[in-house]
Amino acid sequence: MAANSGVYRYQLGATSYRFNSLADLMAKASPLRSGDQLAGLAAETAEERVVAQMCLAEVPLKRFLNEALVPYDSDEVTRLIIDEHDTNAFAPISHLCVGDFRDWLLSDVAGPKMLSQVRRGITPEMAAAVSKIMRNQDLILVAKKCRVKTAFRSTIGLTGHLSTRLQPNHPTDDLSGIAASILDGLLYANGDAVIGINPATDNVAQSCRLLHMMNELIENYAIPTQSCVLTHVTNTLEAIENNAPVDLVFQSIGGTQATNESFGFNLSTLAEAQQAALSLKRGTVGNNVMYFETGQGSALSANAHYGVDQQTCEARAYAVARHFDPLLVNTVVGFIGPEYLYDGKQITRAGLEDHFCGKLLGLPMGCDVCYTNHAEADQNDMDTLLTLLSVAGCSFIMGIPGSDDIMLNYQTTSFHDAMYVRRVLELRPAPEFEQWLQDSEILLNDKFHLNAAVPQRFSPEISRLENK
């Protein structure tokens, strides 16, 4: 491989390959996905893709500090990545190229403690680059070694634990319908990561209404969890000003400034919201107050990708998340549709990549294991990805009645799916939540088995809902 003035060349037999920039090389080294094809960035042949991966393996990690994929002067995410890079943390791996970095990550030298020490020296582009030359099992093995713990009223990310976001969405935001879904989820031991609602009516008044309802339920039953209305960050700021009981601040984020501007915020907006939420001091076992969602394809759909492939743009979003010490981050991996991830194979690969990159960078990474109904995927594909992510140490997944979100119209994981993977892999809920489940007689003495009868303390709530 030869690199000169940003051009990368690789000779394979009699054929010479040319990649016009590091961004071009990264894009063509990416495993096949429809979004990169749509953007005209993907390798044209499987051979070109393999050659790009071979060429990328020889790129020194230091080059990612000197060749920005998105211009430094015009992008605040690039400035965040470069300005916050920790040279001391980078020192143990600074001599490596991308291929050597893969070997080092897979070695016993790179144990949980060492990975924690170097994470602030790894840029998102480095993480994305090494993921492109890793097999699925490599992504799983390394992610499993990355330990990331966060806390608010429950502790997320402990080894041997898997948490869930209880997602009680309703197409009309009917409080009784939402309450019924919450109760259903709690009785299946779901909700220790967050009870998080996507509001059908996205305004401040409705957000406050939903926040007060969830807060009342959490306080009445003394549930060690946190609530969140997944509204725009500016709506949450207004809700805080209106004295609403805000636990977590939510925002969908992207990997470029232009993507985030298309979402209606910038880094200073997030900083203001974080400080406002911290000032409420509502956490009991920790103070991580931010919740971010991401997903491959968001920068491309906003025409804000700067010629960078969708997986690298996704990894750059994790730099934004990392800056704000979130409680939760998850990739909504198959939500945008087949224009970006065409089928179950591409969704599975993307989910493993996102989880690996997030955990490597030090994020409490979860995944919305999901697909849209017009994608070439089905629930069996999601079972496979759910199982692989759980083996890899995923921090949390989604829990929705019947795995069918009747408000957002996509397929994800159900309350039953969480019970399945906890039983098969002997994973437990967050410790504070597990104790509550046992005290409430939702879980029996055997931590993996539910009480077949509804505990007496919930009977009044069931009767109230039935009489609505």
Side-chain angles (χ1 to χ4, degrees):
M1 188 267 291
N4 184 26
S5 301
V7 176
Y8 296 78
R9 294 182 174 85
Y10 199 97
Q11 191 72 29
L12 183 65
T15 306
S16 178
Y17 286 88
R18 172 190 170 110
F19 307 99
N20 293 322
S21 65
L22 185 54
D24 183 39
L25 177 62
M26 293 270 282
K28 289 185 167 56
S30 293
L32 180 65
R33 61 209 57 199
S34 53
D36 291 337
Q37 291 178 308
L38 178 68
L41 301 175
E44 294 185 4
T45 65
E47 180 175 278
E48 185 182 25
R49 182 172 303 107
V50 171
V51 169
Q53 290 170 346
M54 294 167 65
C55 186
L56 181 61
E58 296 184 23
V59 173
L61 292 181
K62 288 181 179 178
R63 187 159 294 162
F64 292 95
L65 301 175
N66 300 315
E67 189 173 340
L69 305 189
V70 181
Y72 179 93
D73 292 338
S74 59
D75 188 86
E76 66 175 358
V77 177
T78 299
R79 293 194 292 274
L80 180 72
I81 292 168
I82 298 301
D83 294 350
E84 293 199 344
H85 182 254
D86 188 329
T87 55
N88 292 327
F90 183 55
I93 58 173
S94 61
H95 62 290
L96 300 176
C97 62
V98 173
D100 292 333
F101 185 36
R102 170 190 175 272
D103 294 341
W104 182 85
L105 288 170
L106 293 170
S107 73
D108 291 336
V109 174
K113 183 177 180 180
M114 176 60 77
L115 289 170
S116 177
Q117 291 173 350
V118 303
R119 64 177 48 148
R120 290 285 175 175
I122 301 171
T123 68
E125 291 85 353
M126 295 175 194
V130 74
S131 75
K132 296 176 191 298
I133 63 168
M134 297 173 83
R135 293 170 56 186
N136 286 0
Q137 67 172 244
D138 300 340
L139 300 174
I140 292 168
L141 175 61
V142 177
K144 181 75 170 181
K145 296 192 290 183
C146 298
R147 310 283 168 78
V148 183
K149 183 181 77 171
T150 57
F152 190 76
R153 293 195 195 100
S154 58
T155 305
I156 311 300
L158 295 174
T159 302
H161 293 256
L162 175 69
S163 297
T164 67
R165 169 188 160 193
L166 203 171
Q167 190 170 324
N169 295 344
H170 193 280
T172 63
D173 284 343
D174 177 73
L175 293 186
S176 295
I178 291 171
S181 292
I182 292 175
L183 181 59
D184 189 20
L186 291 172
L187 293 175
Y188 279 98
N190 278 243
D192 51 332
V194 65
I195 301 174
I197 301 173
N198 296 93
T201 305
D202 193 8
N203 58 49
V204 176
Q206 185 70 345
S207 295
C208 291
R209 183 167 168 254
L210 295 171
L211 286 165
H212 281 290
M213 185 272 286
M214 287 190 289
N215 183 65
E216 181 180 349
L217 186 148
I218 288 171
E219 289 189 347
N220 284 350
Y221 289 100
I223 308 170
T225 190
Q226 34 284 328
S227 69
C228 185
V229 174
L230 281 68
T231 187
H232 194 270
V233 59
T234 55
N235 286 346
T236 304
L237 273 168
E238 286 192 49
I240 292 173
E241 292 173 0
N242 292 335
N243 298 314
V246 172
D247 291 339
L248 304 182
V249 174
F250 170 82
Q251 183 57 47
S252 295
I253 59 174
T256 67
Q257 178 177 334
T259 304
N260 293 330
E261 287 175 346
S262 76
F263 291 161
F265 76 93
N266 56 30
L267 297 183
S268 63
T269 315
L270 296 181
E272 180 185 358
Q274 182 188 35
Q275 291 307 309
L278 286 170
S279 71
L280 301 180
K281 299 180 180 179
R282 292 176 57 82
T284 56
V285 296
N287 291 303
N288 298 109
V289 297
M290 306 299 281
Y291 175 20
F292 297 119
E293 282 191 343
T294 66
Q296 290 193 25
S298 60
L300 176 57
S301 66
N303 195 27
H305 61 293
Y306 292 88
V308 177
D309 68 272
Q310 67 181 40
Q311 189 253 336
T312 302
C313 284
E314 169 72 4
R316 284 170 53 90
Y318 303 155
V320 176
R322 182 167 67 175
H323 180 71
F324 294 101
D325 298 320
L327 177 74
L328 306 167
V329 179
N330 70 267
T331 168
V332 192
V333 64
F335 181 70
I336 301 182
E339 302 87 349
Y340 302 95
L341 296 170
Y342 179 73
D343 56 16
K345 183 176 182 179
Q346 292 188 13
I347 292 170
T348 297
R349 175 69 190 190
L352 294 176
E353 289 171 347
D354 294 350
H355 179 255
F356 161 82
C357 289
K359 292 293 280 294
L360 187 63
L361 294 168
L363 292 177
M365 202 70 192
C367 184
D368 190 343
V369 181
C370 63
Y371 66 102
T372 59
N373 288 314
H374 61 305
E376 291 295 322
D378 59 28
Q379 210 65 42
N380 287 326
D381 295 312
M382 299 306 103
D383 287 349
T384 299
L385 178 54
L386 168 64
T387 305
L388 293 174
L389 285 168
S390 300
V391 171
C394 188
S395 294
F396 69 104
I397 60 170
M398 306 299 119
I400 287 185
S403 75
D404 184 2
D405 192 316
I406 59 174
M407 196 279 280
L408 294 174
N409 291 311
Y410 76 113
Q411 309 303 313
T412 181
T413 43
S414 70
F415 304 145
H416 304 75
D417 293 332
M419 290 302 299
Y420 144 72
V421 79
R422 282 172 174 168
R423 287 176 179 175
V424 169
L425 298 176
E426 297 192 348
L427 300 170
R428 302 162 64 177
E432 302 86 355
F433 192 76
E434 183 180 21
Q435 185 62 56
W436 178 82
L437 291 169
Q438 292 177 342
D439 293 344
S440 301
E441 299 180 334
I442 294 173
L443 286 182
L444 301 176
N445 291 331
D446 183 333
K447 57 182 173 289
F448 302 115
H449 287 85
L450 294 170
N451 190 348
V454 175
Q456 186 65 33
R457 67 179 301 193
F458 297 103
S459 296
E461 184 67 18
I462 292 174
S463 298
R464 184 185 70 80
L465 291 169
E466 287 177 342
N467 292 327
K468 278 285 186 178

